[in-house]
């Protein structure tokens, strides 16, 4: 009537692994920091771009206009590059946030499954003790019933309970294992 919970070792081992959630959180924080710096750089370049346009209007000679156009093109290329990097960083942040949610969910499921299995194993141990006790009770009440007719009812109860209890215990343990599987899935 052993418990044989297949996830017990897996869950217990995962509780002592390096915390993937903390690692993901650090990576996510770093990505958000990079995204913030990219946004700041993009804003600064956009301001320089606007300044170059204003300067081109103020100094209308061809050489100044050509120089301003070059600066504007260079600034626009940098803004486009930063925009692409920001888009990639935003996608990475979204991916990291999803992974963080998945890791937290897995951790919570494993902890719940571990508690279920721990409770079920305690139940299995107590149930085994009860079956043993009922066997001893049936043995003693049988002997007592020979000289005390009132012990016959208790003897009958102990025999019925001893016969029915193992099936009920096994059914509950099977349901607990099934529930553990469902929690992990």
């Amino acid at each position: 009537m052993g418990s044989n919970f297949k996830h017990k070792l897996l869950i217990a081992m995962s509780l002592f692994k390096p915390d993937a959630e903390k690692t993901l959180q650090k990576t996510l924080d770093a990505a958000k920091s990079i995204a913030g710096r990219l946004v700041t750089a993009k804003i600064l370049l956009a301001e320089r771009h606007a300044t170059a346009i204003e300067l081109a209007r103020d100094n209308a000679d061809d050489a100044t206009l050509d120089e301003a156009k070059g600066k504007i093109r260079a600034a626009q290329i940098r803004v486009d590059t930063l925009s692409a990097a920001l888009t990639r960083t935003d996608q990475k942040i979204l991916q990291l946030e999803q992974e963080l949610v998945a890791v937290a969910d897995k951790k919570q499921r494993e902890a719940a499954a571990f508690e279920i299995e721990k409770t079920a194993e305690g139940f299995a141990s107590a149930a085994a003790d009860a079956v043993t006790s009922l066997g001893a009770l049936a043995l003693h009440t049988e002997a007592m019933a020979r000289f005390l007719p009132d012990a016959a009812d208790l003897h009958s109860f102990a025999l019925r309970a001893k016969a029915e209890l193992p099936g009920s215990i096994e059914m509950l343990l099977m349901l607990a294992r099934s529930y553990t599987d469902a929690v992990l899935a």
Side-chain angles (χ1 to χ4, degrees), residues 8-137:
K8 183 178 182 180
L9 183 62
L10 170 78
I11 294 167
M13 287 174 57
S14 72
L15 294 175
F16 297 104
K17 282 187 204 170
D19 197 354
E21 193 174 7
K22 288 181 184 175
T23 304
L24 273 174
Q25 187 62 52
K26 286 179 184 178
T27 306
L28 179 62
D29 292 343
K32 285 182 178 180
S33 174
I34 290 169
R37 287 184 285 182
L38 286 172
V39 167
T40 302
K42 186 177 173 182
I43 291 170
L44 289 173
L45 282 173
E47 289 173 357
R48 287 184 189 162
H49 181 95
T51 304
I53 291 173
E54 288 177 24
L55 286 174
R57 286 188 202 141
D58 293 343
N59 304 323
D61 64 14
D62 288 338
T64 306
L65 285 174
D66 287 340
E67 185 181 334
K69 284 180 185 177
K71 288 181 182 178
I72 290 171
R73 268 189 236 114
Q76 186 59 46
I77 289 170
R78 284 189 214 118
V79 167
D80 292 344
T81 303
L82 288 173
S83 294
L86 185 58
T87 300
R88 285 190 305 273
T89 303
D90 285 343
Q91 290 170 347
K92 184 67 177 175
I93 288 171
L94 182 61
Q95 176 191 355
L96 288 170
E97 286 174 340
Q98 290 170 345
E99 288 176 18
L100 191 60
V101 167
V103 166
D105 180 62
K106 182 181 178 195
K107 186 177 178 181
Q108 186 176 15
R109 287 175 182 272
E110 287 175 348
F114 182 72
E115 285 299 316
I116 292 165
E117 288 190 359
K118 191 169 87 174
T119 301
E121 284 194 357
F123 165 77
S125 175
D129 292 344
V131 170
T132 303
S133 295
L134 283 170
L137 182 64

